Structure formats: structure tokens, C-alpha cells
Amino acid sequence: MPVQAGVPLDQLDDTMESEPYVPLLPHQVQSVPYNVGSAVLDEYMGPYDPTFDCIVKGEPEPDIYWLRDGAQIPESTEAIMEYEDDDTCTLVLPAINLHKAGKYTCKAINPHGEATCSAVLTVKTDRRLQGMDGPQVADGTSYSPSQAKPPKFLEAPKDKTAEEGKQCRVSCEIDGIPPPAVTWSKDGDQLSDEACRFEQEGQTYTLILDETVLDDEGFYACTAVNPKGRAEKMFQIKVKEAGEAPTFVGPLIDTTADDGTCVQLKCKVQGARPMKILWRKYDIHLTPSSMYHMSYNESTGDCMLEIVIVGRNDEGEFLCRAENEFGREETTAELIVEGPEPVPYAPKVTAPLKDVEVLRVNPGNSNAALQHTHDPS
């Protein structure tokens, strides 16, 4: 029979077969989740599976999360979670070992708020019950006191630059026997699960800030403690103020122009400054010249490419690209040049060659000569 949360082991008897009484609030439906009953398991000696249960009500029905020492517990064969129709929330911990000791919290959340209740699990080794030569580590193997070792950072948390409003994750890897208790702090104050989330997978511990704000900037510490010692690493989180990537609120439009005229291609962009504007025709990058005039009004976002004298060879697709530190955006348009088609005709000479006569004025100087040309006609 599983150990019922809230009942000391030395009081287990046949009365445990009956359902324990849980206080009920007079109203079954509330706008904010609340705890009707909770239980504390003071210590565990085995061989039963420790069980935590509480009753939580809320409207709409709240989502239920379980945490150990502030870190969310994923549902698995080692952490069985149940939510009954009578609003009883249950966490069962099969195959208990020392690393599962800690403070367990049931958190209920719905759109109107949240409620939590916590209980402490203390695991005491009893070799007569467990049939082991020593305590267990996380993988279920036993170790002797001589095998215990203090926490050690295999990979320290690194400095991070986060963008305001985006998620920020900082991870590290910590070794130690028994597995250490890990806490996170900011500017000397320990963090709680109200402001952030904590995850653990094996030896990897992660701090998660779901929606980073400017006040999250500061110096953080990850601290690991077990009976053999303590280890701590510092790191810094910087928060970059959120900015807007470029968006063309007025894109380029296809344009038709007469051959030999002046044409202007215009668009309008908005986004965080500074902004860089580039123009291209197909894959050719365009630069300001006597043929192309370019302008960008930073205050209004108006962009313009002016082709001073349009010719047939100017036909094609033009592209305007806007870039800033938060992203880039492009807009394209087709330019069509119209004009009279040239009349085909056979080749003809419009400026004929002229005869050339050279008179040498000094026979001893081959470079001295007078040149005279005349029209053979």
C-alpha cells in the first residue's frame, strides 16, 4: 500500500484503508485556483512508494504542475501524476532513492491566477528494508561514504545577452555524489519559481526566463551543495531592448515609363533605426551616379530611386532592401520602358572616309611631314 501523504510512517495501521477526510470549501467553483487540502510527508524509510496528494479547485479547470526544489518534474515512470474527477492531485514516486529528497510543490494555474502547496520528503536509509550495502545515487547504484564527492561544475553557466520579450535559457552541468541541491540567485537574492523556471535533466541544470524584461539584467550565480561541499559559478545576463525589424508599409509598385524620360521608384519602410537601404537590379548592386539618384528620409521612411534618363536597357526587376539589427525586408517591382520601335533599314554610310595626302618637307627628317586631306568627291 502506498504511503499516504501527511501520515507519519509510525502511525500506519489498518485505518489507512479508509479514505482520509479532506476539508472542503463551501463553494465548489471559484474564479482562482485554491488549495482545499494538502499533506506533508516528513520522512521516508521504504519500501513503500511515497505519495503526495492534495485537492485543488478552480474555474476553468486549472493546469497542474509538480516541482521539486523549484524545478518542474516531467511525468515519467519515476514520477506518476494523476488528477481525479474529485479534484484530487496525486504524485507517486516509485523506486525512491536519496536524490528524490526535497521540497515538492503542486502548482495550479488558470487564466485567473494560481495556487501552490508544498510538502517535504526526507529519505532515511534503512539497510534492513532496502537490502543494500549503502545509500543510492540517482541511477539506483549504491555507494559508500568514501565514494561521496563534492559538487563540481563540468560545464559552467556562460554569460548571455537576451532580447527583451524573448526566452532566455542558461544551462550548466554539475557532478557530485550524492547529487547536489542546486539553487539560482540574482544579485545575491535567491530566485523563486514565481519569476522563472528551473529544469534538470541528469547532470544538466537550466535556468529559464520565459519573457525577458529589462529588470532581468544583472549578475547571477548557480550554487550546488551536497554533504561533501559546495560549488558556485557566476555569470551575467544582459538584456537588449526590443526593436522592430524593417517592414515596408508602402512597397514598390510596377511602373511603366517612356523611353528618354525620368522615372522614380518609391517605397516606404518602418522599423528601428539606424536603417540601411540597398537597391539592386536583378543581381547588380546599384550605387549613386549620374544615372541613378537615391534618397532615404529617416524620419518618414520614404525611399526613392530616380533613373535620370530611362532607356530600353533599364527594363527589368528592381529591388529595395531595408536592414537593421533586428532583421531585413525586401520589396520588388518591374520597370517597363515604352517608345516607338526602331524602323529596320540596311546599313548606310553617313560620314564617309576622306583621302589623306602626306608631303615630306625635309627628306633628312622622316618625322617632318605636312598632312592634307580632301574629299575625293
Side-chain angles (χ1 to χ4, degrees):
M1 179 186 68
V3 175
Q4 298 295 320
V7 181
L9 289 173
D10 58 2
Q11 297 180 14
L12 288 177
D13 55 30
D14 293 340
T15 61
M16 292 296 295
E17 298 297 333
S18 61
E19 290 292 328
Y21 172 77
V22 180
L24 295 177
L25 294 183
H27 300 289
Q28 295 297 315
V29 177
Q30 298 288 331
S31 61
V32 178
Y34 60 91
N35 300 311
V36 180
S38 61
V40 175
L41 181 66
D42 292 320
E43 64 180 44
Y44 175 74
M45 297 288 290
Y48 307 111
D49 296 334
T51 300
F52 293 96
D53 55 33
C54 60
I55 294 179
V56 180
K57 294 183 179 293
E59 182 62 30
E61 184 176 278
D63 294 323
I64 303 299
Y65 304 90
W66 288 92
L67 304 93
R68 181 177 70 86
D69 294 333
Q72 185 174 339
I73 305 171
E75 188 169 9
S76 66
T77 55
E78 294 188 0
I80 301 172
M81 304 171 189
E82 298 174 351
Y83 187 37
E84 303 295 339
D85 291 339
D86 64 354
D87 301 321
T88 299
C89 305
T90 303
L91 172 66
V92 182
L93 303 172
I96 192 68
N97 48 49
L98 287 177
H99 85 284
K100 290 186 177 179
K103 179 181 178 181
Y104 285 77
T105 300
C106 179
K107 175 181 283 190
I109 301 175
N110 74 8
H112 301 284
E114 67 179 56
T116 62
C117 64
S118 299
V120 176
L121 171 62
T122 302
V123 180
K124 293 186 177 181
T125 303
D126 187 330
R127 296 183 184 179
R128 293 171 301 172
L129 291 175
Q130 298 186 8
M132 301 187 305
D133 294 329
Q136 287 186 318
V137 293
D139 61 3
T141 59
S142 62
Y143 71 93
S144 65
S146 62
Q147 293 175 300
K149 57 183 180 180
K152 177 183 178 181
F153 280 86
L154 304 178
E155 182 176 342
K158 296 180 175 61
D159 293 345
K160 191 91 170 183
T161 298
E163 184 177 337
E164 183 184 12
K166 301 292 183 66
Q167 186 184 85
C168 177
R169 299 173 66 96
V170 179
S171 297
C172 60
E173 291 186 19
I174 307 174
D175 187 25
I177 298 178
V182 174
T183 57
W184 301 81
S185 59
K186 174 182 180 288
D187 299 329
D189 297 324
Q190 184 169 330
L191 297 173
S192 69
D193 56 5
E194 295 178 358
C196 50
R197 292 191 292 124
F198 312 101
E199 287 184 356
Q200 178 190 353
E201 184 175 347
Q203 294 180 316
T204 301
Y205 298 81
T206 304
L207 168 67
I208 304 171
L209 306 176
D210 281 314
E211 293 186 6
T212 310
V213 297
L214 295 178
D215 286 343
D216 288 326
E217 186 166 286
F219 290 92
Y220 289 72
C222 179
T223 305
V225 179
N226 74 3
K228 292 293 291 183
R230 180 178 184 274
E232 183 175 274
K233 292 292 183 180
M234 302 286 294
F235 62 97
Q236 184 178 12
I237 292 180
K238 295 182 179 180
V239 181
K240 181 173 62 175
E241 189 171 357
E244 183 183 2
T247 302
F248 281 99
V249 294
L252 291 174
I253 58 175
D254 294 342
T255 302
T256 300
D258 291 330
D259 188 6
T261 62
C262 176
V263 67
Q264 295 178 342
L265 302 178
K266 298 179 180 180
C267 56
K268 188 181 184 72
V269 66
Q270 68 180 20
R273 303 166 190 164
M275 188 90 70
K276 183 179 180 181
I277 304 298
L278 302 173
W279 289 92
R280 300 180 72 90
K281 180 186 177 187
Y282 295 120
D283 293 331
I284 301 173
H285 175 62
L286 303 180
T287 57
S289 65
S290 59
M291 180 182 299
Y292 297 116
H293 296 171
M294 302 172 187
S295 65
Y296 167 55
N297 188 320
E298 192 174 71
S299 60
T300 63
D302 291 317
C303 309
M304 184 182 70
L305 170 66
E306 181 180 75
I307 306 175
V308 179
I309 301 177
V310 174
R312 289 280 183 174
N313 60 343
D314 290 316
E315 277 195 334
E317 183 182 79
F318 286 80
L319 175 147
C320 181
R321 175 186 297 165
E323 296 181 355
N324 64 16
E325 63 176 312
F326 303 104
R328 74 179 188 182
E329 184 75 2
E330 297 176 349
T331 178
T332 61
E334 194 79 17
L335 174 62
I336 300 173
V337 179
E338 293 183 340
E341 293 290 339
V343 178
Y345 56 89
K348 66 178 181 179
V349 177
T350 58
L353 295 174
K354 296 180 179 181
D355 293 337
V356 176
E357 291 182 359
V358 177
L359 176 63
R360 297 180 64 187
V361 296
N362 185 355
N365 185 354
S366 61
N367 294 324
L370 294 177
Q371 179 173 311
H372 173 69
T373 62
H374 68 276
D375 191 334
S377 60

